[in-house]
Amino acid sequence: EEIITCRVHTASDGLEALKTVHAVSLDCCFVDIRMPHMDGLELIAEIKDYYNTLPVVIITGHPSLDLAIDTMRRGASDFLVKPFGLKDVAVTFKRVIKERALLIENVFLKEAIEKKKGIEKLIIELQHKIREVTQLNEVMQELFSVRSSEELFQRIVDIGARITSSEIVSFMVLDRENDRFITIAANSSKQNRMKGGYADIGKWAAGKVAKDG
């Protein structure tokens, strides 16, 4: 039969028990439901406020369904009914300790999963930033070789079409006085024929932006 070796700390009332909980690292608490100064239910609440994973076993000589429900709702791991022997204590102790170990393992596993998700999110964000910086460097390299304003506008249109994978891209100037666009550069042959020409503001997707400001 397995022998359990434990260091036991005792308290004469609820307040003294609470001080012991704060002062000593414990693996489990056996708490009588009736104690001076602070009863077992109050003590459970105090313990769980600070040490949520610490198992608390309630001891009572008057078991009832209501008591069992109330103690479990407050965070008790189990309860012992008087009279009981040391074997009952040992069985209960081993069970709640095992349950606590599984709980802590699950908490650590959950934290590890959340941390992994956070790292994966950071990696994705970093990859996006790297792509943005790379594209920006490529754009700057292309614009450095521009020798005229006409070439600049056409280069901007070509770059925009490549980055956005769009078939039709235009560089237009808004003529607010006449409520129309003036085409400066375009990437399609049809639009290039319109270069320097005018287009009704309502014909283009940019028209909504122009109207809405």
Side-chain angles (χ1 to χ4, degrees):
E1 190 171 319
E2 183 182 359
I3 298 176
I4 301 175
T5 303
C6 300
R7 178 176 293 176
V8 179
H9 300 267
T10 61
S12 58
D13 58 56
L15 289 177
E16 185 181 342
L18 184 59
K19 291 179 181 178
T20 303
V21 170
H22 288 312
V24 181
S25 178
L26 302 174
D27 293 315
C28 180
C29 295
F30 286 82
V31 176
D32 201 307
I33 195 69
R34 293 185 179 181
M35 296 183 293
H37 307 305
M38 179 184 292
D39 65 28
L41 296 179
E42 292 175 307
L43 183 56
I44 290 178
E46 291 289 339
I47 292 173
K48 291 300 177 178
D49 278 345
Y50 292 95
Y51 313 100
N52 193 42
T53 63
L54 182 61
V56 179
V57 179
I58 286 292
I59 299 172
T60 179
H62 305 281
S64 69
L65 181 59
D66 290 340
L67 177 63
I69 293 173
D70 197 16
T71 55
M72 295 301 175
R73 182 175 58 83
R74 291 171 184 261
S77 301
D78 205 342
F79 65 95
L80 283 174
V81 178
K82 301 175 183 177
F84 54 83
L86 289 178
K87 185 177 180 180
D88 299 315
V89 174
V91 170
T92 303
F93 176 77
K94 286 191 291 185
R95 181 171 62 251
V96 297
I97 288 299
K98 183 177 180 180
E99 290 173 355
R100 184 194 189 196
L102 290 174
L103 175 61
I104 293 175
E105 183 180 345
N106 288 336
V107 169
F108 282 136
L109 181 60
K110 184 178 179 181
E111 289 178 352
I113 291 173
E114 292 299 324
K115 187 178 293 185
K116 182 181 178 183
K117 288 180 179 178
I119 293 173
E120 290 174 348
K121 182 180 179 182
L122 287 175
I123 291 174
I124 292 173
E125 291 176 355
L126 181 59
Q127 289 173 340
H128 286 319
K129 291 295 182 183
I130 291 173
R131 281 196 292 268
E132 289 175 1
V133 172
T134 301
Q135 288 177 343
L136 180 60
N137 287 334
E138 291 174 354
V139 169
M140 294 302 296
Q141 290 291 334
E142 293 189 44
L143 295 182
F144 279 146
S145 61
V146 171
R147 298 181 181 277
S148 66
S149 59
E150 183 178 358
E151 186 181 355
L152 173 64
F153 296 139
Q154 187 60 49
R155 191 67 61 86
I156 291 174
V157 166
D158 293 339
I159 293 172
R162 186 177 69 248
I163 292 176
T164 61
S165 301
S166 300
E167 295 182 2
I168 300 176
V169 177
S170 301
F171 190 100
M172 296 179 173
V173 175
L174 176 62
D175 180 1
R176 288 194 177 276
E177 184 176 348
N178 297 298
D179 201 25
R180 62 188 180 181
F181 284 120
I182 302 173
T183 304
I184 305 300
N187 73 322
S188 69
S189 58
K190 181 179 178 181
Q191 284 182 298
N192 266 319
R193 289 195 296 270
M194 296 170 56
K195 191 180 297 184
Y198 303 101
D200 179 34
I201 195 171
K203 287 185 177 181
W204 307 95
K208 179 174 174 56
V209 179
K211 288 180 178 179
D212 295 344

